[in-house]
Amino acid sequence: QVQVVESGGGLVQSGGSLKLSCEVSGRTLSAYDIGWYRQAPGKEREYLARLWDNGLTQYEDAVKGRFTIFRGTTKNVVYLQMNNLKHEDTAGYYCEYISGRGDAWGRGTQVTVYS
């Protein structure tokens, strides 16, 4: 019903930047939020940021000042700009579509940060 596809991950040196994309398609509602999460092997899924449909944003302390969530020129594309990346940021990154009638997840995109 709703499809979510992340892209933009890759291998990056410590201190570098990446911009991840989350593209939503299918039978979406007119109003919905987008959340970004990450999960490293052996660890719990970690909430990172949320973009409400009205434009309000929220960030976890671990990424405040380094990551920014924002919509593109079209509503169905949401970005996560990641700056000053650290080795600890290495994980699979996932996007969540959140609506009053349910949610949907993408399959993730891998981010690997090396020294």
Side-chain angles (χ1 to χ4, degrees):
Q1 185 172 346
V2 175
Q3 292 79 48
V4 180
V5 179
E6 304 95 337
S7 62
L11 184 66
V12 63
Q13 189 173 17
S14 179
S17 299
L18 284 174
K19 187 169 80 172
L20 306 183
S21 297
C22 173
E23 184 173 0
V24 179
S25 61
R27 299 181 64 184
T28 60
L29 298 182
S30 59
Y32 59 89
D33 305 339
I34 293 292
W36 277 100
Y37 303 76
R38 68 186 178 191
Q39 187 169 25
K43 291 192 173 184
E44 293 277 335
R45 183 182 62 189
E46 179 185 11
Y47 166 78
L48 299 176
R50 181 165 176 162
L51 174 65
W52 271 262
D53 189 70
N54 64 7
L56 182 68
T57 59
Q58 182 184 14
Y59 301 91
E60 285 297 293
D61 289 342
V63 302
K64 282 183 179 178
R66 298 192 299 124
F67 291 11
T68 305
I69 186 171
F70 60 98
R71 294 190 188 277
T73 56
T74 58
K75 181 182 177 69
N76 70 311
V77 180
V78 175
Y79 298 103
L80 184 69
Q81 177 67 50
M82 307 186 297
N83 297 327
N84 192 25
L85 285 163
K86 307 172 182 179
H87 179 70
E88 309 92 87
D89 296 319
T90 296
Y93 283 71
Y94 299 86
C95 180
E96 183 189 21
Y97 161 91
I98 306 164
S99 79
R101 294 194 176 188
D103 59 1
W105 292 85
R107 292 187 175 184
T109 184
Q110 179 67 34
V111 172
T112 302
V113 185
Y114 66 93
S115 300

